Amino acid sequence: SEAGVPSVLLQLEAELNEYFSGNLQQFTTEFGLVGTAFQCNVWRQLQWIPFGQISTYGQIASRLGKGKASRAVGAAIGKNPLSIVLPCHRVIGKSGALTG
């Protein structure tokens, strides 16, 4: 690592540069998530939304087996610790509107 910077941060920096240059669509850096079990499950679902695609809070809740928990999904997404890497910007409201 450079001057004591952990290699995971160097890899993430390189991937972010590639992403913002338009040369990367999916991150591969491995990282741990710290949150409640529900939050971590929601954040993992964000990783499965393909580049250029969208999902809704309700769809994520359904995939977690908690079909009526779209507000709780929204609250978890609002606490997303890695908002570009875990693409919360790909999640919209049921009506198609940007929310949150």
Side-chain angles (χ1 to χ4, degrees):
S1 64
E2 289 180 19
V5 177
S7 60
V8 68
L9 292 181
L10 295 173
Q11 180 182 353
L12 186 55
E13 177 186 32
E15 287 192 342
L16 284 166
N17 287 332
E18 288 295 305
Y19 178 83
F20 287 120
S21 295
N23 299 319
L24 181 77
Q25 295 184 352
Q26 185 171 0
F27 293 89
T28 61
T29 301
E30 293 187 25
F31 49 85
L33 295 171
V34 178
T36 67
F38 181 76
Q39 287 172 331
C40 290
N41 287 335
V42 169
W43 298 335
R44 283 187 200 98
Q45 288 296 313
L46 297 176
Q47 292 178 289
W48 296 107
I49 304 170
F51 184 85
Q53 301 293 314
I54 56 170
S55 186
T56 67
Y57 299 99
Q59 288 170 330
I60 292 172
S62 291
R63 284 195 294 270
L64 293 172
K66 302 190 179 288
K68 297 185 187 257
S70 58
R71 288 183 188 256
V73 166
I77 289 173
K79 295 182 186 243
N80 177 3
L82 297 169
S83 59
I84 297 296
V85 177
L86 300 174
C88 55
H89 55 281
R90 298 179 188 161
V91 182
I92 60 172
K94 182 169 100 174
S95 69
L98 298 177
T99 62

